[in-house]
Amino acid sequence: MAKRVAVVSGSNKGIGLEVVRSLCRHFDGDVFLTARDASRGQQALLKLQEEQLKPLFHQLDIDDLESIRELRAFMLQKYEGIDVLVNNAGIAFKNADTTPFGTQAEVTMATNFFATRDMCTELLTIIKPHGRVVNVSSLMSKVALLKCSPELQNKFRSPTLTEDELVELMRKFVDDAKNEVHPKQGWPSTAYGVSKIGVTVLSMIHARRLSKERAADKILLNACCPGWVKTDMAGPNAPGTVEEGAVTPVYLALLPEGAEGPHGELVSKKTVQEW
């Protein structure tokens, strides 16, 4: 039996780092902290080692397909797959940012949706039986959904929406934003919110696929909202602590072996949200 292993993307700071810290304490196996920048990753590693924790490090830039594939090859060779995957890496423009909205839409979507999708495409196939996959989304996805046109809302809630159709919708949002016609086309003016609609719905699609194609493996995959907590991304005025932000992702990552669910849900404060 290969040793168990957990991987957290974008985990050199913020919620990702807190998830690694918690998994080091509660997960029975190796825990990998990952970061785009190896030196920042090593600094974060040292910080946790000073707390007598023993995380390991692997470089990972989710925007770089080769980087994802290197991680995949390493995990297969050393651990015969992955037991727990937390897709935490993501970006957000500040409200005061003057970057044109079309550019914000393109850049935000590239990382939050398309790179997260690449992580899933490459790594879901090596999730071991009884594995747990957590995609860090946001309740902003729900807020953004309710600001979409009824037609778009129906599509994003459809249990038969395919991954290809979702990809087309995400591409359309970027095109509409760049052409400055997104409100007319039924989209809200939040690139972050729409990118997280993508993450939430992708999670539902992937969960359905796992239930169909790998039912016996009892893998559980969910999207979650960590909450509005103090991080570099959310800023100092956020009401929650980073420790509170890690609670739900860690809860989903450590769902016990016999658990039937949650699966294919958006979860906040350990509670399944209506979509």
Side-chain angles (χ1 to χ4, degrees):
M1 282 278 289
K3 196 170 183 182
R4 298 182 77 222
V5 64
V7 178
V8 185
S9 73
S11 50
N12 58 292
K13 62 179 182 177
I15 291 164
L17 180 60
E18 196 55 44
V19 168
V20 168
R21 180 180 274 122
S22 191
L23 289 177
C24 282
R25 292 179 179 142
H26 304 291
F27 175 73
D28 175 26
D30 288 346
V31 181
F32 274 81
L33 183 154
T34 70
R36 270 185 309 198
D37 182 311
S39 65
R40 282 186 195 160
Q42 294 292 352
Q43 281 168 356
L45 208 65
L46 286 172
K47 200 165 151 186
L48 294 183
Q49 285 167 352
E50 283 167 11
E51 299 170 25
Q52 272 59 63
L53 301 173
K54 296 188 174 72
L56 299 163
F57 178 73
H58 200 288
Q59 192 275 340
L60 173 66
D61 177 359
I62 71 164
D63 288 313
D64 175 359
L65 198 51
E66 279 315 302
S67 176
I68 298 174
R69 286 176 176 161
E70 276 174 29
L71 176 78
R72 183 184 194 276
F74 174 83
M75 289 295 156
L76 268 179
Q77 185 248 317
K78 189 148 175 27
Y79 297 95
E80 296 172 18
I82 295 173
D83 296 277
V84 169
L85 174 63
V86 181
N87 283 314
N88 165 74
I91 61 161
F93 283 84
K94 303 289 184 204
N95 286 338
D97 199 300
T98 55
T99 306
F101 186 71
T103 307
Q104 290 196 26
E106 188 166 38
V107 172
T108 306
M109 198 61 73
T111 295
N112 292 2
F113 178 74
F114 286 103
T116 299
R117 177 177 177 246
D118 287 341
M119 284 284 287
C120 294
T121 302
E122 297 296 324
L123 301 180
L124 284 187
T125 54
I126 67 161
I127 300 293
K128 297 185 211 170
H130 307 287
R132 304 289 180 250
V133 181
V134 185
N135 295 327
V136 177
S137 183
S138 168
L139 283 183
M140 288 302 294
S141 64
K142 208 171 152 179
V143 173
L145 177 72
L146 295 172
K147 289 181 178 171
C148 287
S149 67
E151 185 195 357
L152 283 172
Q153 287 189 42
N154 287 339
K155 285 180 180 173
F156 288 130
R157 288 190 173 116
S158 167
T160 57
L161 187 74
T162 67
E163 186 169 340
D164 287 345
E165 287 166 342
L166 177 63
V167 165
E168 278 314 304
L169 285 165
M170 294 294 110
R171 286 195 179 126
K172 185 176 187 306
F173 169 69
V174 173
D175 290 343
D176 288 346
K178 285 162 90 172
N179 294 324
E180 298 180 6
V181 296
H182 61 283
K184 233 186 289 181
Q185 295 295 320
W187 299 104
S189 291
T190 162
Y192 181 79
V194 176
S195 75
K196 293 301 192 177
I197 289 176
V199 172
T200 299
V201 177
L202 185 71
S203 304
M204 294 170 175
I205 291 168
H206 285 166
R208 287 197 287 269
R209 189 185 303 160
L210 284 168
S211 296
K212 198 173 152 192
E213 295 173 6
R214 294 183 64 183
D217 287 343
K218 298 197 180 325
I219 294 164
L220 297 178
L221 182 155
N222 291 284
C224 74
C225 174
W228 189 25
V229 303
K230 289 177 184 65
T231 60
D232 287 354
M233 185 193 281
N237 299 325
T241 64
V242 75
E243 290 83 3
E244 288 168 333
V247 168
T248 297
V250 170
Y251 156 72
L252 293 170
L254 297 178
L255 287 168
E257 193 166 299
E260 295 289 319
H263 181 54
E265 304 283 3
L266 175 62
V267 182
S268 174
K269 294 185 176 168
K270 298 190 186 176
T271 309
V272 170
Q273 304 297 303
E274 201 180 325
W275 180 249

